[in-house]
């Protein structure tokens, strides 16, 4: 496989786009080599500018749950373009998508549409702080909620350490308001609340994290989290930007029967166009401007093209058999990988939630970020490169989720498992 056009374009791009890309993980730094520049995509396939074709398991990092260019979604967007692309005024489309989202997530009584997952989490945190009248927040090590200042923070040396900025440019004075706990360790959360019982406004969590790779909750962790929040009067925010329509239709909160106070969504609800959303209980959401005093706004929020893509995507997802198909395909891939790994004597840990999964090159179970970080990154890089060379486009990092779509066929699964067989041979 040749990548000369992509390589040349990347060299050019690096002079005018920082790092040659518009979002860091696209640069392939975690696996070495240069990124592939994409020309087009259709169904389960993605085509690069060198004429290579790949089976795509990135799916734009989650949104393309129906595959690329789904005929119904594409046609709805094309029709919407002819009616104008942005008005900066309310449309019936926003009300329609809101209804669909609230039906899918009964814990949400009201919703605000924004343009990205970052904006959703940022808005949710501001609102939760205002509602609770407190400044501190808790997030979990390894959970990603976009790149707003107060969320770009990782743990210090111990659970009680005040947050330190993860990036230059995040003021220490902001980071110090973010405590970091350990996913799947309820005591790490309780300790923080015991030390600061009246200072913590909210806990934000990816209920099934996808940003340290997929990790599943264990031992009633999510229920305990809800109980602790209730005890201390803190708002529980589920960031389901990734898991929302991936774990199942209705998200992790439906699977684990948890009623969070607030939820963040993104990715799938925009059907491949830029959309995010945050919502929750009316008593909280009514504090949001213009109903209440907490300011939040957006020139392109509720954009008619994005709303149209979201509506059509959710309509397709509601059809009978869609999630069964997604689960079946994901199962075939995960079980297939497990069988090959066993046969080769290669220790791996596969965590799956609905149509997203991570294959960790790890001989131990992965329950939190520390466990995930012990994965063998050299093995992952080799695996990634062999898969790519055999026409399989995977997320270029061990700490990401693989996304399966309804467009993946049995033939795709077979080709994928053939490539896994080859990749494992070289490890
Ligand atoms: C759980 C979660 N929250 C928030 C975000 C940020 O979303 P965006 O990249 O749309 O800003 C992401 C992005 O991957 C995410 O996975």
């Amino acid at each position: 496989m040749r990548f000369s056009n992509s390589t040349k374009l990347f060299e050019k791009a690096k002079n005018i786009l920082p790092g040659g890309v518009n979002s860091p993980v696209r640069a392939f730094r975690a696996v070495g080599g240069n990124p592939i520049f994409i020309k087009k995509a259709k169904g389960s396939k993605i085509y690069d500018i060198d004429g290579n074709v790949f089976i795509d398991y990135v799916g734009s990092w989650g949104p393309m749950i129906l595959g690329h260019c789904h005929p119904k979604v594409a046609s709805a967007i094309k029709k919407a373009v002819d009616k104008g692309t942005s008005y900066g005024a309310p449309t019936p489309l926003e009300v329609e998508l809101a209804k669909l989202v609230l039906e899918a997530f009964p814990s949400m009584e009201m919703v605000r549409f924004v343009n990205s997952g970052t904006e959703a989490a940022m808005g949710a945190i501001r609102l939760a702080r205002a509602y609770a009248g407190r400044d501190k927040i808790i997030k979990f090590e390894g959970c990603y909620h976009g790149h707003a200042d107060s969320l770009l923070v990782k743990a210090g040396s111990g659970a009680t350490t005040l947050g330190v900025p993860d990036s230059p440019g995040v003021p220490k004075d902001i980071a110090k308001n973010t405590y970091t706990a350990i996913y799947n360790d309820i005591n790490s959360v309780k300790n923080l609340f015991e030390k600061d019982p009246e200072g913590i406004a909210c806990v934000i969590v990816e209920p099934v994290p996808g940003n340290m790779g997929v990790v599943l909750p264990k031992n009633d962790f999510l229920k305990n989290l809800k109980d602790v929040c209730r005890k201390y009067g803190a708002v529980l925010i589920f960031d389901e930007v990734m898991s929302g329509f991936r774990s199942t239709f209705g998200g992790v909160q439906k699977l684990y029967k948890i009623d969070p106070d607030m939820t963040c969504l993104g990715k799938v609800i925009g059907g491949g166009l830029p959309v995010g959303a945050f919502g929750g209980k009316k008593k909280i959401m009514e504090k949001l401007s213009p109903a209440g005093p907490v300011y939040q706004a957006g020139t392109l929020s509720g954009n008619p093209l994005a709303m149209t893509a979201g509506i059509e995507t959710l309509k397709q997802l509601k059809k009978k058999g869609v999630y069964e198909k997604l689960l079946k395909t994901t199962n075939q891939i995960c079980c297939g990988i497990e069988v090959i790994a066993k046969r080769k004597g290669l220790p791996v840990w596969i965590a799956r939630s609905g149509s997203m999964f991570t294959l960790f090159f790890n001989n131990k179970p992965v329950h939190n970020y520390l466990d995930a970080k012990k994965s063998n990154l050299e093995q992952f890089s080799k695996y990634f490169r062999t898969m790519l060379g055999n026409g399989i486009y995977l997320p270029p990092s061990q700490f990401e989720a693989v996304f399966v779509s309804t467009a993946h066929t049995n033939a795709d699964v077979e080709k994928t498992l053939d490539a896994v067989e080859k990749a494992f041979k070289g490890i």
Side-chain angles (χ1 to χ4, degrees):
M1 218 173 250
R2 290 164 55 89
F3 298 108
S4 51
N5 290 340
S6 279
T7 307
K8 267 188 236 148
L9 193 52
F10 189 48
E11 287 311 312
K12 274 192 197 157
K14 279 194 281 191
N15 290 321
I16 47 177
L17 300 169
V21 291
N22 280 305
S23 195
V25 74
R26 294 179 197 171
F28 276 29
R29 293 225 169 147
V31 288
N34 292 328
I36 291 164
F37 282 69
I38 305 304
K39 188 173 169 191
K40 62 174 186 176
K42 176 110 183 121
S44 61
K45 308 288 187 314
I46 197 156
Y47 302 77
D48 75 5
I49 58 171
D50 282 283
N52 302 308
V53 187
F54 303 91
I55 300 170
D56 179 26
Y57 289 105
V58 176
S60 186
W61 301 95
M64 309 320 295
I65 194 165
L66 300 171
H68 295 280
C69 242
H70 185 279
K72 287 275 197 297
V73 180
S75 134
I77 296 172
K78 282 176 197 161
K79 276 190 202 141
V81 168
D82 286 337
K83 296 180 190 160
T85 54
S86 182
Y87 320 120
T91 68
L93 297 165
E94 293 155 88
V95 183
E96 191 178 348
L97 186 58
K99 271 177 76 183
L100 283 167
V101 167
L102 299 190
E103 263 167 39
F105 285 79
S107 77
M108 294 164 85
E109 293 165 356
M110 293 181 119
V111 63
R112 163 74 42 101
F113 290 115
V114 293
N115 303 291
S116 68
T118 295
E119 261 190 84
M122 187 179 75
I125 295 280
R126 182 180 304 141
L127 188 53
R129 279 176 160 151
Y131 177 78
R134 301 170 178 178
D135 286 343
K136 300 281 195 297
I137 66 170
I138 295 179
K139 77 175 281 292
F140 292 87
E141 202 179 331
C143 281
Y144 179 66
H145 307 289
H147 57 91
D149 281 351
S150 53
L151 293 164
L152 264 193
V153 172
K154 63 180 173 187
S157 52
T160 55
T161 312
L162 289 176
V164 290
D166 230 5
S167 159
V170 175
K172 285 196 189 74
D173 271 353
I174 288 183
K176 75 175 190 208
N177 288 314
T178 303
Y179 293 122
T180 314
I182 299 166
Y183 185 79
N184 267 330
D185 178 355
I186 196 63
N187 286 330
S188 72
V189 183
K190 283 183 182 164
N191 288 342
L192 291 168
F193 273 110
E194 276 162 20
K195 296 230 157 70
D196 194 357
E198 306 209 329
I200 297 166
C202 64
V203 174
I204 186 166
V205 64
E206 287 183 79
V208 166
N211 286 291
M212 49 179 120
V214 174
V215 175
L216 300 179
K218 57 172 194 162
N219 299 340
D220 280 338
F221 174 67
L222 296 174
K223 184 188 166 298
N224 292 336
L225 205 52
K226 169 88 191 170
D227 292 345
V228 176
C229 285
R230 183 163 290 159
K231 179 173 169 192
Y232 288 96
V235 176
L236 177 61
I237 306 172
F238 270 15
D239 180 351
E240 299 228 42
V241 165
M242 190 186 289
S243 60
F245 289 87
R246 282 279 170 188
S247 289
T248 190
F249 193 92
V252 175
Q253 52 195 269
K254 182 172 180 193
L255 279 183
Y256 291 85
K257 300 188 176 64
I258 311 285
D259 182 39
D261 303 305
M262 295 184 77
T263 299
C264 301
L265 295 171
K267 300 194 189 257
V268 168
I269 60 161
L273 290 182
V275 180
F278 63 101
K281 304 301 176 203
K282 216 172 197 161
K283 62 184 183 201
I284 303 176
M285 293 304 290
E286 279 182 336
K287 301 258 180 258
L288 196 60
S289 178
V294 181
Y295 197 69
Q296 193 283 329
T299 299
L300 290 173
S301 293
N303 173 269
L305 299 191
M307 296 291 105
T308 300
I311 291 165
E312 199 51 50
T313 299
L314 296 197
K315 278 187 186 162
Q316 295 302 317
L317 288 177
K318 280 175 85 165
K319 287 190 174 162
K320 217 171 156 234
V322 171
Y323 277 81
E324 284 78 359
K325 179 173 180 346
L326 278 169
L327 282 187
K328 190 171 161 223
T329 312
T330 314
N331 225 3
Q332 280 172 337
I333 300 169
C334 290
C335 294
I337 296 175
E338 240 154 28
V339 168
I340 300 169
K342 221 173 239 159
R343 189 162 14 87
K344 306 256 184 221
L346 183 69
V348 296
W349 175 259
I350 301 176
R352 166 162 91 79
S353 184
S355 59
M356 58 190 218
F357 75 89
T358 297
L359 159 66
F360 287 101
F361 289 88
N362 201 317
N363 55 10
K364 299 233 170 73
V366 176
H367 297 307
N368 57 39
Y369 189 43
L370 198 64
D371 294 341
K373 280 202 298 192
K374 289 181 188 148
S375 304
N376 189 325
L377 301 186
E378 209 174 296
Q379 285 184 340
F380 177 82
S381 292
K382 278 190 189 160
Y383 169 72
F384 172 84
R385 299 224 71 83
T386 314
M387 294 297 279
L388 190 70
N390 283 280
I392 314 294
Y393 189 69
L394 295 173
S397 162
Q398 170 70 99
F399 308 111
E400 297 287 355
V402 170
F403 296 103
V404 177
S405 77
T406 54
H408 286 103
T409 61
N410 284 337
D412 290 335
V413 174
E414 260 176 50
K415 190 167 176 211
T416 304
L417 293 177
D418 281 349
V420 171
E421 187 89 43
K422 288 180 194 142
F424 282 4
K425 214 177 268 170
I427 288 173

